[in-house]
Amino acid sequence: GDSVTQMEGPVTLSEEAFLTINCTYTATGYPSLFWYVQYPGEGLQLLLKATKADDKGSNKGFEATYRKETTSFHLEKGSVQVSDSAVYFCALSDLVGDYKLSFGAGTTVTVRA
Amino acid sequence: GAGVSQSPRYKVAKRGQDVALRCDPISGHVSLFWYQQALGQGPEFLTYFQNEAQLDKSGLPSDRFFAERPEGSVSTLKIQRTQQEDSAVYLCASSFEDRVETNTEAFFGQGTRLTVV
């Protein structure tokens, strides 16, 4: 079945550092890929998504590129802020919309001032 | 309200007790999803509604789990004879579109944390 494997945390960074969270997937078809973020005390929020190979999703300075050849969707941000402290989840769906998502285990990121 | 609302936020149940978890989706949203998130894990799909129709319940772990959405708005997830392995955060999400193929976003509630003792 479909599955997602993401980098284990926790990850602790200083402000303005470069962040990367690795995500690889296994799927039988051509899934859509997502990154969700959960800030402390809040619900899951969609951060960005890509629906086909070589698409790049971007939002709030974060980027991820759908790499079919390496079955990866790594999340990157060039300069993190304290407000980026959160849990990040990589996910996939067999369909364009985010229905019946398969999530990774999540990576906790803490940014220190 | 502006977002997906779930209640209660926290529930402690004795093993064997029945529980009911409520989800109020965003007004007008057609699709509704339930997910289960165990500690330290990502959410896992439980079931999906389109209006009042339960179109997919493949993720429900046992027949002790039952979900309904009788009027196509509020949904209730019921767990009968709770067991310790049911302890988790139960997330509800809703989206506007009624076709899963569309490029739509699901909005998540904050979840209900269930602890079975």
Side-chain angles (χ1 to χ4, degrees):
Chain A
D2 297 344
S3 67
V4 174
T5 302
Q6 67 180 96
M7 187 173 86
E8 288 188 19
V11 174
T12 302
L13 303 165
S14 297
E15 249 186 336
E16 300 183 3
F18 182 85
L19 170 67
T20 183
I21 304 175
N22 289 340
C23 172
T24 57
Y25 68 89
T26 302
T28 52
Y30 298 94
S32 295
L33 302 174
F34 306 83
W35 277 99
Y36 277 81
V37 59
Q38 187 169 32
Y39 299 105
E42 298 185 16
L44 280 168
Q45 301 175 25
L46 178 64
L47 180 60
L48 54 84
K49 63 184 177 184
T51 58
K52 61 183 187 296
D54 299 325
D55 270 3
K56 178 186 284 188
S58 61
N59 186 25
K60 299 182 180 180
F62 290 88
E63 291 184 343
T65 301
Y66 189 140
R67 300 289 187 197
K68 187 169 181 292
E69 64 277 13
T70 54
T71 61
S72 65
F73 193 56
H74 305 321
L75 181 69
E76 297 181 336
K77 185 172 185 180
S79 177
V80 293
Q81 304 301 312
V82 172
S83 57
D84 293 324
S85 298
V87 183
Y88 293 82
F89 293 91
C90 186
L92 69 80
S93 169
D94 276 342
L95 301 164
V96 175
D98 50 354
Y99 155 67
K100 202 170 183 177
L101 291 156
S102 296
F103 285 88
T107 302
T108 301
V109 173
T110 302
V111 181
R112 296 191 291 205
Chain B
V4 177
S5 178
Q6 293 187 244
S7 61
R9 290 291 314 279
Y10 304 92
K11 175 69 178 178
V12 178
K14 291 183 178 179
R15 192 168 49 185
Q17 187 178 357
D18 296 348
V19 298
L21 312 180
R22 177 187 171 103
C23 172
D24 282 83
I26 294 172
S27 179
H29 275 197
V30 170
S31 296
L32 186 144
F33 313 83
W34 283 99
Y35 286 83
Q36 179 191 57
Q37 185 176 15
L39 187 64
Q41 301 298 316
E44 292 194 2
F45 172 82
L46 292 177
T47 187
Y48 162 63
F49 288 86
Q50 184 183 108
N51 295 307
E52 69 278 4
Q54 189 175 20
L55 299 187
D56 188 336
K57 54 182 181 180
S58 61
L60 295 177
S62 77
D63 58 7
R64 296 186 295 104
F65 286 71
F66 172 76
E68 61 182 5
R69 194 185 184 198
E71 297 179 358
S73 177
V74 171
S75 177
T76 303
L77 176 66
K78 298 179 179 178
I79 308 173
Q80 297 177 323
R81 305 182 303 281
T82 53
Q83 301 177 6
Q84 284 191 316
E85 60 261 33
D86 299 335
S87 296
V89 175
Y90 290 85
L91 299 172
C92 177
S94 71
S95 68
F96 180 73
E97 294 289 341
D98 62 357
R99 300 185 306 278
V100 298
E101 295 84 356
T102 59
N103 199 11
T104 186
E105 176 181 352
F107 294 87
F108 282 80
Q110 290 183 285
T112 294
R113 181 178 298 278
L114 172 66
T115 304
V116 181
V117 298

